[in-house]
Amino acid sequence: MKAIHDIAVLLSDGTLDPHLRAIAGKVADGQRITNDDALLLFEHGSLSFTGSLANYIREQKHGDNTYFNRNFHIEPTNICLYTCTFCSYSRLIKKREEGWEYTHDEIMDQIRKYDGQPVTEVHIVGGVLPQYDVAFYTKLFRAIKDHRPDLHIKALTPVEYHYIFKKDKLSYEDGMRLMLEAGLDSMPGGGAEIFDPEIRDQIAGGKCTGDQWLRIHEIWHELGRRSNATMLYGHIEEYRHRVDHLDKLRQLQDTTGGFQTFIPLKFRNENNQLSHLPETTAIEDLRNYAISRIYLDNFDHIKAYWPMIGRDMAQLSLSFGVDDIDGTIDDTTRIYSMAGAEEQNPALTTEQLVDLIRRVGRKPLERDTLYNVLHDYTDTVFESDNEYKGYVSLPVTN
Ligand code: V47
Ligand code: SF4
């Protein structure tokens, strides 16, 4: 931990732009920065400046603690009614034969593959199709809980919920209550993209609006449950749209306190309608993590999704505000591998994940979905014969 020294150096730098110095002063005093401050950071904050402030906040909140969890992903289908221009993963209904559509039984087979393995969470998200309706998902959640009550179900986003509730003429409140009763534990952060209506319309037209996304999370938080939030950046949005997105999240968090973690998602440009756009640089990605950490003072955690950004960037991000690297040990998601993610077959054993964190001087903590610490790996010595090394890979069925 050296962030306190770094911020003292920043504040004593007489050559620093006065506006940036004022922002550094706010951070040192634990004050909230404004939207104008955030825009200034996006436009003029250097990597070292934003990084020092973000690392200071990260270490004030968490010291060297770095969280990961053991989960697996299930994607019921990659066929989708929508045509988000950034999406490399979905196939239109007219090309149905190119994708996959798992039945209830096939999904339960995937759940059973992890029997006896120390996973704590299943993350379920995929395309939007009429057969995956309220009845399908409530039956699925009940079956998962009957089979394995301790497995935390983190599933679906307001994109799916908005669609299935509308189809069944259910209010958001009644719909989310049904999901809660069926066993849903928390909601992942997907589907947020960018809330600004003009940009959202161009990249994700037809699916739930930003306000609807926020409202469904609000209702879920009012039911006493937690969720995550994301922002898809680095496509056609401008910095002011990122600030607007962060502002809406911070405002809702002030009201409900129900968000656990914020996950910036860098746009990847392979195999989609926005492939002509260049991807953001590593410097921009680190600045984006850092500014998110500085702005979202009411979010406990900032997560970097390592299968998407790769192991080296995941290590670097831990000095730019990130305190959680997700940690899917045997990742079965194809949302990113099909879009050009760094990790095409992302799989790290617990030992490798712990090593990755320890080698940059941080403290590896396995958590459950709600950030209860399950195991502190700081001093763990791994012995190959008795230490669990990873998960079986699921067969690719499409
Ligand atoms: O909403 C789709 C994004 C999201 C691309 O809550 C893309 O713990 C980049 O939200 N380039 C879904 N991003 C995944 C998601 C997530 C992931 C990990 C953990 C959690 C959590 C949530 O993936 C979508 C969209 O924003 N996405 N295509 C692409 N080409
Ligand atoms: Fe469908 Fe989600 Fe892809 Fe949009 S991002 S096309 S809603 S799978």
Side-chain angles (χ1 to χ4, degrees):
M1 282 183 40
K2 59 177 190 61
I4 291 178
H5 171 258
D6 289 349
I7 204 161
V9 170
L10 273 186
L11 287 168
S12 63
D13 176 359
T15 65
L16 189 63
D17 172 281
H19 294 111
L20 292 176
R21 182 204 296 278
I23 295 175
K26 285 185 187 176
V27 170
D29 292 345
Q31 283 175 33
R32 175 168 277 196
I33 68 163
T34 65
N35 288 3
D36 286 344
D37 293 337
L39 197 56
L40 190 79
L41 288 179
F42 274 123
E43 285 171 350
H44 302 293
S46 67
L47 179 65
S48 59
F49 179 78
T50 55
S52 298
L53 297 188
N55 196 37
Y56 172 77
I57 297 169
R58 183 238 199 265
E59 292 186 359
Q60 291 290 305
K61 282 185 183 283
H62 304 290
D64 286 327
N65 289 356
T66 300
Y67 302 92
F68 67 94
N69 69 339
R70 304 213 222 191
N71 65 0
F72 62 102
H73 287 236
I74 292 185
E75 291 165 358
T77 183
N78 72 336
I79 323 282
C80 190
L81 294 171
Y82 300 117
T83 52
C84 303
T85 53
F86 57 82
C87 184
S88 319
Y89 153 92
S90 70
R91 294 290 175 271
L92 283 170
I93 293 205
K94 61 184 178 207
K95 290 194 174 170
R96 230 173 174 143
E97 65 291 345
E98 292 179 12
W100 66 86
E101 290 170 67
Y102 296 136
T103 62
H104 174 99
D105 289 344
E106 285 169 333
I107 296 176
M108 286 310 296
D109 284 346
Q110 294 185 26
I111 298 277
R112 282 188 281 268
K113 289 217 168 83
Y114 292 88
D115 284 358
Q117 300 192 26
V119 284
T120 56
E121 171 193 291
V122 56
H123 179 149
I124 307 174
V125 71
V128 179
L129 273 184
Q131 84 245 32
Y132 297 102
D133 57 8
V134 169
F136 179 91
Y137 283 119
T138 48
K139 184 175 167 212
L140 179 66
F141 296 164
R142 285 208 165 84
I144 295 172
K145 285 291 176 189
D146 281 349
H147 179 69
R148 191 165 173 176
D150 60 323
L151 191 63
H152 182 108
I153 304 178
K154 184 174 85 180
L156 312 190
T157 73
V159 176
E160 290 99 325
Y161 289 126
H162 170 79
Y163 174 81
I164 65 178
F165 297 161
K166 201 167 155 211
K167 191 163 164 278
D168 275 13
K169 299 192 174 46
L170 282 169
S171 67
Y172 290 163
E173 286 84 354
D174 289 346
M176 290 317 294
R177 213 167 288 120
L178 284 179
M179 295 297 148
L180 180 72
E181 286 161 13
L184 179 70
D185 290 299
S186 69
M187 253 202 287
E193 324 312 0
I194 281 281
F195 295 142
D196 177 85
E198 267 179 41
I199 301 294
R200 192 173 182 84
D201 211 41
Q202 290 178 59
I203 63 165
K207 70 186 194 186
C208 75
T209 63
D211 285 347
Q212 289 164 337
W213 188 99
L214 289 159
R215 180 67 190 134
I216 290 177
H217 279 266
E218 184 174 18
I219 290 166
W220 184 241
H221 296 169
E222 284 164 358
L223 289 168
R225 296 308 176 110
R226 313 300 299 272
S227 65
N228 294 338
T230 58
M231 173 174 76
L232 179 70
Y233 72 94
H235 41 87
I236 58 167
E237 92 289 0
E238 296 170 22
Y239 286 143
R240 67 191 165 97
H241 301 121
R242 293 193 208 173
V243 174
D244 173 70
H245 191 93
L246 294 172
D247 178 31
K248 293 201 163 99
L249 289 175
R250 192 169 76 173
Q251 283 187 41
L252 180 55
Q253 182 74 333
D254 275 343
T255 311
T256 67
F259 287 118
Q260 304 206 99
T261 182
F262 176 65
I263 311 150
L265 295 171
K266 167 198 178 88
F267 164 67
R268 306 304 307 236
N269 69 3
E270 280 181 24
N271 306 313
N272 56 47
Q273 294 173 62
L274 297 180
S275 291
H276 57 284
L277 296 176
E279 290 183 357
T280 46
T281 61
I283 289 178
E284 180 62 11
D285 298 333
L286 291 172
R287 273 173 15 95
N288 191 74
Y289 282 120
I291 297 167
S292 303
R293 177 61 289 170
I294 298 165
Y295 184 88
L296 293 174
D297 59 340
N298 54 3
F299 274 63
D300 285 343
H301 303 283
I302 304 289
K303 177 152 91 177
Y305 187 52
W306 74 259
M308 166 66 108
I309 61 172
R311 299 161 206 213
D312 297 348
M313 268 298 278
Q315 281 178 319
L316 259 178
S317 73
L318 298 179
S319 294
F320 289 83
V322 168
D323 61 278
D324 185 325
I325 55 171
D326 199 76
T328 310
I329 308 282
D330 171 34
D331 198 297
T332 43
T333 182
R334 275 175 273 175
I335 294 177
Y336 303 113
S337 54
M338 291 165 89
E342 293 309 310
E343 305 277 340
Q344 285 303 307
N345 291 302
L348 284 181
T349 62
T350 307
E351 181 174 354
Q352 288 169 326
L353 203 56
V354 164
D355 187 52
L356 186 152
I357 296 168
R358 281 203 295 221
R359 283 174 53 204
V360 289
R362 303 290 186 180
K363 188 180 176 71
L365 299 175
E366 181 184 346
R367 63 164 175 87
D368 65 12
T369 313
L370 302 176
Y371 287 86
N372 298 304
V373 173
L374 302 179
H375 193 85
D376 179 349
Y377 283 93
T378 309
D379 301 315
T380 303
V381 179
F382 289 88
E383 289 169 27
S384 38
D385 286 336
N386 55 23
E387 191 62 34
Y388 184 69
K389 282 296 188 183
Y391 300 118
V392 288
S393 281
L394 293 176
V396 176
T397 51
N398 68 325

